[in-house]
Amino acid sequence: GADEALDILAKTFVDPGTCALVASPTYSMYRISVELLDGRIIEVARRPDFSDNVEALIEQCKRPEARMVFLCSPNNPTGNLSKREDVVRLLETVECAVVVDEAYAEFAGESLVDLTGKYENLIIVRTFSKAFGMAGVRIGYMVAHPETIRLLSKARPPNSVSTISLTLAKLALENRDEILPKIEEIKRERERLAGRLAELPNVEVYPSQANFILARFEQADKVYSELLKRGMVLRRVSGPLLENCLRITVLDRKANDRLITSLKEVLGVKS
Ligand SMILES: Cc1ncc(COP(=O)(O)O)c(C=O)c1O
């Protein structure tokens, strides 16, 4: 899957004493794959609206030991996209590899894959785990300039992808026409659910381009445990900028309505 791509990237670019940057908060595996190879992670805080702080990233990339920058777009768990002009500025300014993890890109309908022909230091990571719902099949891939792919191939285990998984991925691509409407439905439901969440008192909802929504509550722990009692599992998140936030996966209309009804109960809203 995409996690193996992260391992290949770390094997390619990280040595003891080097470092990689992450626009944080973000997906936790960047840190794990870099630290496994004795590299150091430098967290560059996102802005309060969770956008990338490009100036700070550029500044940190000036360190001679910087090898790689991880951006996640849409970002897990905040849901926002990296701005195209920000990524281009980064690509044109820094010397190190710029990784854009587009695990959730199908839900955004936007991608930076087209920039890989122009920028050798850009690597896009994608997966069949999210929009295709095939996490158990373990298929991910990277898109980059041919020269960069040649470099990454040296660190790629030759037999890690089974023929069964490849066959399933091929089947998914052949049946895209059935899967695409489901992605569209999730995108529509995401906007509807975000609207309904925003109507609740003391709930701050962050705009999302993924299949989840980040929301801030007054007492996230209470909301989490009360929903758990009702059989609903939200994702707890922690760390700077994420205090009292929960990540909510967008489901079908009925399940989303059930969540809103339960949230109203928990938050004491009379309906
Ligand atoms: C941002 C991001 N990248 C990569 C992955 C890993 O995907 P895969 O199942 O393809 O290893 C995930 C899964 O949670 C993710 O959220």
Side-chain angles (χ1 to χ4, degrees), residues 158-182:
N159 301 313
S160 68
V161 178
S162 77
T163 50
I164 295 174
S165 293
L166 274 179
T167 306
L168 291 171
K170 201 163 151 256
L171 266 175
L173 289 179
E174 284 165 6
N175 290 284
R176 264 204 306 277
D177 290 351
E178 275 174 49
I179 292 162
L180 290 178
K182 296 207 171 85

PDB file of all heavy atoms in Angstrom, residues 158-182:
ATOM      1  N   PRO A 158      11.379  -6.365  -4.744  1.00  0.00           N
ATOM      2  CA  PRO A 158      10.885  -6.807  -6.052  1.00  0.00           C
ATOM      3  C   PRO A 158       9.598  -7.621  -5.991  1.00  0.00           C
ATOM      4  O   PRO A 158       8.833  -7.644  -6.936  1.00  0.00           O
ATOM      5  CB  PRO A 158      12.034  -7.664  -6.606  1.00  0.00           C
ATOM      6  CG  PRO A 158      12.856  -8.054  -5.417  1.00  0.00           C
ATOM      7  CD  PRO A 158      12.695  -6.954  -4.411  1.00  0.00           C
ATOM      8  N   ASN A 159       9.315  -8.279  -4.861  1.00  0.00           N
ATOM      9  CA  ASN A 159       8.166  -9.201  -4.833  1.00  0.00           C
ATOM     10  C   ASN A 159       7.109  -8.841  -3.793  1.00  0.00           C
ATOM     11  O   ASN A 159       6.394  -9.705  -3.311  1.00  0.00           O
ATOM     12  CB  ASN A 159       8.663 -10.626  -4.570  1.00  0.00           C
ATOM     13  CG  ASN A 159       9.638 -11.071  -5.638  1.00  0.00           C
ATOM     14  OD1 ASN A 159       9.373 -10.903  -6.825  1.00  0.00           O
ATOM     15  ND2 ASN A 159      10.779 -11.590  -5.244  1.00  0.00           N
ATOM     16  N   SER A 160       6.991  -7.566  -3.460  1.00  0.00           N
ATOM     17  CA  SER A 160       6.074  -7.230  -2.363  1.00  0.00           C
ATOM     18  C   SER A 160       4.615  -7.162  -2.811  1.00  0.00           C
ATOM     19  O   SER A 160       3.711  -7.184  -1.985  1.00  0.00           O
ATOM     20  CB  SER A 160       6.493  -5.916  -1.706  1.00  0.00           C
ATOM     21  OG  SER A 160       6.291  -4.868  -2.611  1.00  0.00           O
ATOM     22  N   VAL A 161       4.373  -7.060  -4.110  1.00  0.00           N
ATOM     23  CA  VAL A 161       2.985  -6.953  -4.583  1.00  0.00           C
ATOM     24  C   VAL A 161       2.554  -8.285  -5.187  1.00  0.00           C
ATOM     25  O   VAL A 161       3.140  -8.755  -6.161  1.00  0.00           O
ATOM     26  CB  VAL A 161       2.846  -5.819  -5.623  1.00  0.00           C
ATOM     27  CG1 VAL A 161       1.414  -5.746  -6.134  1.00  0.00           C
ATOM     28  CG2 VAL A 161       3.244  -4.483  -5.001  1.00  0.00           C
ATOM     29  N   SER A 162       1.524  -8.891  -4.631  1.00  0.00           N
ATOM     30  CA  SER A 162       1.109 -10.210  -5.125  1.00  0.00           C
ATOM     31  C   SER A 162       0.317 -10.075  -6.412  1.00  0.00           C
ATOM     32  O   SER A 162      -0.321  -9.043  -6.663  1.00  0.00           O
ATOM     33  CB  SER A 162       0.271 -10.929  -4.066  1.00  0.00           C
ATOM     34  OG  SER A 162      -1.033 -10.385  -4.052  1.00  0.00           O
ATOM     35  N   THR A 163       0.336 -11.136  -7.218  1.00  0.00           N
ATOM     36  CA  THR A 163      -0.427 -11.110  -8.479  1.00  0.00           C
ATOM     37  C   THR A 163      -1.927 -11.036  -8.179  1.00  0.00           C
ATOM     38  O   THR A 163      -2.680 -10.442  -8.942  1.00  0.00           O
ATOM     39  CB  THR A 163      -0.133 -12.371  -9.323  1.00  0.00           C
ATOM     40  OG1 THR A 163      -0.279 -13.513  -8.480  1.00  0.00           O
ATOM     41  CG2 THR A 163       1.261 -12.337  -9.896  1.00  0.00           C
ATOM     42  N   ILE A 164      -2.345 -11.590  -7.053  1.00  0.00           N
ATOM     43  CA  ILE A 164      -3.773 -11.525  -6.696  1.00  0.00           C
ATOM     44  C   ILE A 164      -4.176 -10.066  -6.460  1.00  0.00           C
ATOM     45  O   ILE A 164      -5.193  -9.594  -6.968  1.00  0.00           O
ATOM     46  CB  ILE A 164      -4.048 -12.376  -5.427  1.00  0.00           C
ATOM     47  CG1 ILE A 164      -3.794 -13.847  -5.741  1.00  0.00           C
ATOM     48  CG2 ILE A 164      -5.477 -12.171  -4.930  1.00  0.00           C
ATOM     49  CD1 ILE A 164      -3.878 -14.777  -4.552  1.00  0.00           C
ATOM     50  N   SER A 165      -3.338  -9.340  -5.712  1.00  0.00           N
ATOM     51  CA  SER A 165      -3.637  -7.929  -5.457  1.00  0.00           C
ATOM     52  C   SER A 165      -3.643  -7.126  -6.753  1.00  0.00           C
ATOM     53  O   SER A 165      -4.515  -6.268  -6.956  1.00  0.00           O
ATOM     54  CB  SER A 165      -2.613  -7.342  -4.487  1.00  0.00           C
ATOM     55  OG  SER A 165      -2.775  -7.934  -3.223  1.00  0.00           O
ATOM     56  N   LEU A 166      -2.670  -7.410  -7.613  1.00  0.00           N
ATOM     57  CA  LEU A 166      -2.611  -6.683  -8.887  1.00  0.00           C
ATOM     58  C   LEU A 166      -3.860  -6.951  -9.726  1.00  0.00           C
ATOM     59  O   LEU A 166      -4.409  -6.038 -10.345  1.00  0.00           O
ATOM     60  CB  LEU A 166      -1.367  -7.095  -9.675  1.00  0.00           C
ATOM     61  CG  LEU A 166      -0.090  -6.338  -9.353  1.00  0.00           C
ATOM     62  CD1 LEU A 166       1.069  -6.871 -10.194  1.00  0.00           C
ATOM     63  CD2 LEU A 166      -0.262  -4.836  -9.604  1.00  0.00           C
ATOM     64  N   THR A 167      -4.311  -8.195  -9.710  1.00  0.00           N
ATOM     65  CA  THR A 167      -5.508  -8.554 -10.472  1.00  0.00           C
ATOM     66  C   THR A 167      -6.724  -7.806  -9.934  1.00  0.00           C
ATOM     67  O   THR A 167      -7.544  -7.274 -10.699  1.00  0.00           O
ATOM     68  CB  THR A 167      -5.755 -10.083 -10.381  1.00  0.00           C
ATOM     69  OG1 THR A 167      -4.556 -10.738 -10.806  1.00  0.00           O
ATOM     70  CG2 THR A 167      -6.919 -10.514 -11.250  1.00  0.00           C
ATOM     71  N   LEU A 168      -6.822  -7.724  -8.600  1.00  0.00           N
ATOM     72  CA  LEU A 168      -7.948  -7.010  -7.994  1.00  0.00           C
ATOM     73  C   LEU A 168      -7.900  -5.518  -8.322  1.00  0.00           C
ATOM     74  O   LEU A 168      -8.927  -4.894  -8.604  1.00  0.00           O
ATOM     75  CB  LEU A 168      -7.962  -7.234  -6.477  1.00  0.00           C
ATOM     76  CG  LEU A 168      -8.307  -8.661  -6.036  1.00  0.00           C
ATOM     77  CD1 LEU A 168      -8.084  -8.839  -4.541  1.00  0.00           C
ATOM     78  CD2 LEU A 168      -9.742  -9.010  -6.411  1.00  0.00           C
ATOM     79  N   ALA A 169      -6.703  -4.932  -8.299  1.00  0.00           N
ATOM     80  CA  ALA A 169      -6.564  -3.513  -8.633  1.00  0.00           C
ATOM     81  C   ALA A 169      -6.969  -3.263 -10.082  1.00  0.00           C
ATOM     82  O   ALA A 169      -7.649  -2.278 -10.398  1.00  0.00           O
ATOM     83  CB  ALA A 169      -5.128  -3.056  -8.385  1.00  0.00           C
ATOM     84  N   LYS A 170      -6.549  -4.181 -10.954  1.00  0.00           N
ATOM     85  CA  LYS A 170      -6.899  -4.053 -12.371  1.00  0.00           C
ATOM     86  C   LYS A 170      -8.422  -4.132 -12.548  1.00  0.00           C
ATOM     87  O   LYS A 170      -9.016  -3.347 -13.286  1.00  0.00           O
ATOM     88  CB  LYS A 170      -6.200  -5.183 -13.150  1.00  0.00           C
ATOM     89  CG  LYS A 170      -6.056  -4.924 -14.604  1.00  0.00           C
ATOM     90  CD  LYS A 170      -5.006  -5.850 -15.220  1.00  0.00           C
ATOM     91  CE  LYS A 170      -5.358  -6.111 -16.668  1.00  0.00           C
ATOM     92  NZ  LYS A 170      -5.940  -7.419 -16.928  1.00  0.00           N
ATOM     93  N   LEU A 171      -9.041  -5.061 -11.825  1.00  0.00           N
ATOM     94  CA  LEU A 171     -10.507  -5.193 -11.869  1.00  0.00           C
ATOM     95  C   LEU A 171     -11.187  -3.905 -11.407  1.00  0.00           C
ATOM     96  O   LEU A 171     -12.181  -3.472 -12.007  1.00  0.00           O
ATOM     97  CB  LEU A 171     -10.947  -6.334 -10.950  1.00  0.00           C
ATOM     98  CG  LEU A 171     -11.116  -7.707 -11.591  1.00  0.00           C
ATOM     99  CD1 LEU A 171     -11.428  -8.745 -10.517  1.00  0.00           C
ATOM    100  CD2 LEU A 171     -12.249  -7.653 -12.630  1.00  0.00           C
ATOM    101  N   ALA A 172     -10.630  -3.309 -10.351  1.00  0.00           N
ATOM    102  CA  ALA A 172     -11.206  -2.061  -9.836  1.00  0.00           C
ATOM    103  C   ALA A 172     -11.134  -0.977 -10.903  1.00  0.00           C
ATOM    104  O   ALA A 172     -12.095  -0.224 -11.113  1.00  0.00           O
ATOM    105  CB  ALA A 172     -10.475  -1.632  -8.569  1.00  0.00           C
ATOM    106  N   LEU A 173      -9.994  -0.894 -11.594  1.00  0.00           N
ATOM    107  CA  LEU A 173      -9.845   0.129 -12.631  1.00  0.00           C
ATOM    108  C   LEU A 173     -10.809  -0.135 -13.792  1.00  0.00           C
ATOM    109  O   LEU A 173     -11.396   0.792 -14.350  1.00  0.00           O
ATOM    110  CB  LEU A 173      -8.400   0.167 -13.137  1.00  0.00           C
ATOM    111  CG  LEU A 173      -7.374   0.740 -12.153  1.00  0.00           C
ATOM    112  CD1 LEU A 173      -5.973   0.693 -12.752  1.00  0.00           C
ATOM    113  CD2 LEU A 173      -7.725   2.178 -11.774  1.00  0.00           C
ATOM    114  N   GLU A 174     -10.971  -1.406 -14.134  1.00  0.00           N
ATOM    115  CA  GLU A 174     -11.884  -1.751 -15.232  1.00  0.00           C
ATOM    116  C   GLU A 174     -13.341  -1.434 -14.867  1.00  0.00           C
ATOM    117  O   GLU A 174     -14.168  -1.224 -15.749  1.00  0.00           O
ATOM    118  CB  GLU A 174     -11.743  -3.243 -15.583  1.00  0.00           C
ATOM    119  CG  GLU A 174     -10.473  -3.518 -16.370  1.00  0.00           C
ATOM    120  CD  GLU A 174     -10.120  -5.004 -16.410  1.00  0.00           C
ATOM    121  OE1 GLU A 174     -10.924  -5.834 -15.928  1.00  0.00           O
ATOM    122  OE2 GLU A 174      -9.030  -5.327 -16.906  1.00  0.00           O
ATOM    123  N   ASN A 175     -13.614  -1.436 -13.550  1.00  0.00           N
ATOM    124  CA  ASN A 175     -14.991  -1.174 -13.104  1.00  0.00           C
ATOM    125  C   ASN A 175     -15.144   0.223 -12.494  1.00  0.00           C
ATOM    126  O   ASN A 175     -16.021   0.457 -11.668  1.00  0.00           O
ATOM    127  CB  ASN A 175     -15.420  -2.248 -12.112  1.00  0.00           C
ATOM    128  CG  ASN A 175     -15.597  -3.580 -12.795  1.00  0.00           C
ATOM    129  OD1 ASN A 175     -16.582  -3.802 -13.479  1.00  0.00           O
ATOM    130  ND2 ASN A 175     -14.631  -4.452 -12.666  1.00  0.00           N
ATOM    131  N   ARG A 176     -14.267   1.131 -12.940  1.00  0.00           N
ATOM    132  CA  ARG A 176     -14.289   2.511 -12.441  1.00  0.00           C
ATOM    133  C   ARG A 176     -15.672   3.131 -12.510  1.00  0.00           C
ATOM    134  O   ARG A 176     -16.080   3.871 -11.638  1.00  0.00           O
ATOM    135  CB  ARG A 176     -13.348   3.373 -13.295  1.00  0.00           C
ATOM    136  CG  ARG A 176     -11.975   3.551 -12.735  1.00  0.00           C
ATOM    137  CD  ARG A 176     -11.317   4.796 -13.262  1.00  0.00           C
ATOM    138  NE  ARG A 176     -11.275   4.881 -14.717  1.00  0.00           N
ATOM    139  CZ  ARG A 176     -10.357   4.297 -15.481  1.00  0.00           C
ATOM    140  NH1 ARG A 176      -9.405   3.589 -14.932  1.00  0.00           N
ATOM    141  NH2 ARG A 176     -10.360   4.430 -16.782  1.00  0.00           N
ATOM    142  N   ASP A 177     -16.397   2.808 -13.590  1.00  0.00           N
ATOM    143  CA  ASP A 177     -17.701   3.454 -13.798  1.00  0.00           C
ATOM    144  C   ASP A 177     -18.683   3.135 -12.673  1.00  0.00           C
ATOM    145  O   ASP A 177     -19.632   3.875 -12.446  1.00  0.00           O
ATOM    146  CB  ASP A 177     -18.298   3.028 -15.144  1.00  0.00           C
ATOM    147  CG  ASP A 177     -17.504   3.633 -16.283  1.00  0.00           C
ATOM    148  OD1 ASP A 177     -16.641   4.496 -15.990  1.00  0.00           O
ATOM    149  OD2 ASP A 177     -17.722   3.234 -17.439  1.00  0.00           O
ATOM    150  N   GLU A 178     -18.479   2.014 -12.000  1.00  0.00           N
ATOM    151  CA  GLU A 178     -19.355   1.685 -10.874  1.00  0.00           C
ATOM    152  C   GLU A 178     -18.885   2.378  -9.601  1.00  0.00           C
ATOM    153  O   GLU A 178     -19.679   2.664  -8.708  1.00  0.00           O
ATOM    154  CB  GLU A 178     -19.356   0.176 -10.628  1.00  0.00           C
ATOM    155  CG  GLU A 178     -20.348  -0.552 -11.494  1.00  0.00           C
ATOM    156  CD  GLU A 178     -20.229  -2.047 -11.336  1.00  0.00           C
ATOM    157  OE1 GLU A 178     -20.196  -2.511 -10.177  1.00  0.00           O
ATOM    158  OE2 GLU A 178     -20.124  -2.722 -12.367  1.00  0.00           O
ATOM    159  N   ILE A 179     -17.581   2.601  -9.503  1.00  0.00           N
ATOM    160  CA  ILE A 179     -17.011   3.147  -8.261  1.00  0.00           C
ATOM    161  C   ILE A 179     -17.140   4.679  -8.221  1.00  0.00           C
ATOM    162  O   ILE A 179     -17.425   5.259  -7.180  1.00  0.00           O
ATOM    163  CB  ILE A 179     -15.542   2.684  -8.113  1.00  0.00           C
ATOM    164  CG1 ILE A 179     -15.539   1.161  -7.875  1.00  0.00           C
ATOM    165  CG2 ILE A 179     -14.841   3.394  -6.958  1.00  0.00           C
ATOM    166  CD1 ILE A 179     -14.221   0.491  -8.141  1.00  0.00           C
ATOM    167  N   LEU A 180     -16.972   5.310  -9.391  1.00  0.00           N
ATOM    168  CA  LEU A 180     -16.991   6.783  -9.416  1.00  0.00           C
ATOM    169  C   LEU A 180     -18.283   7.390  -8.853  1.00  0.00           C
ATOM    170  O   LEU A 180     -18.221   8.350  -8.077  1.00  0.00           O
ATOM    171  CB  LEU A 180     -16.715   7.293 -10.833  1.00  0.00           C
ATOM    172  CG  LEU A 180     -15.263   7.081 -11.309  1.00  0.00           C
ATOM    173  CD1 LEU A 180     -15.084   7.567 -12.750  1.00  0.00           C
ATOM    174  CD2 LEU A 180     -14.273   7.801 -10.390  1.00  0.00           C
ATOM    175  N   PRO A 181     -19.469   6.848  -9.179  1.00  0.00           N
ATOM    176  CA  PRO A 181     -20.691   7.440  -8.586  1.00  0.00           C
ATOM    177  C   PRO A 181     -20.696   7.358  -7.063  1.00  0.00           C
ATOM    178  O   PRO A 181     -21.247   8.235  -6.394  1.00  0.00           O
ATOM    179  CB  PRO A 181     -21.820   6.590  -9.169  1.00  0.00           C
ATOM    180  CG  PRO A 181     -21.260   5.959 -10.389  1.00  0.00           C
ATOM    181  CD  PRO A 181     -19.796   5.794 -10.150  1.00  0.00           C
ATOM    182  N   LYS A 182     -20.050   6.311  -6.500  1.00  0.00           N
ATOM    183  CA  LYS A 182     -20.012   6.186  -5.036  1.00  0.00           C
ATOM    184  C   LYS A 182     -19.142   7.294  -4.440  1.00  0.00           C
ATOM    185  O   LYS A 182     -19.459   7.841  -3.381  1.00  0.00           O
ATOM    186  CB  LYS A 182     -19.446   4.814  -4.639  1.00  0.00           C
ATOM    187  CG  LYS A 182     -20.332   3.677  -5.107  1.00  0.00           C
ATOM    188  CD  LYS A 182     -20.190   2.449  -4.219  1.00  0.00           C
ATOM    189  CE  LYS A 182     -21.233   1.399  -4.567  1.00  0.00           C
ATOM    190  NZ  LYS A 182     -20.854   0.513  -5.669  1.00  0.00           N
TER     191      LYS A 182
END
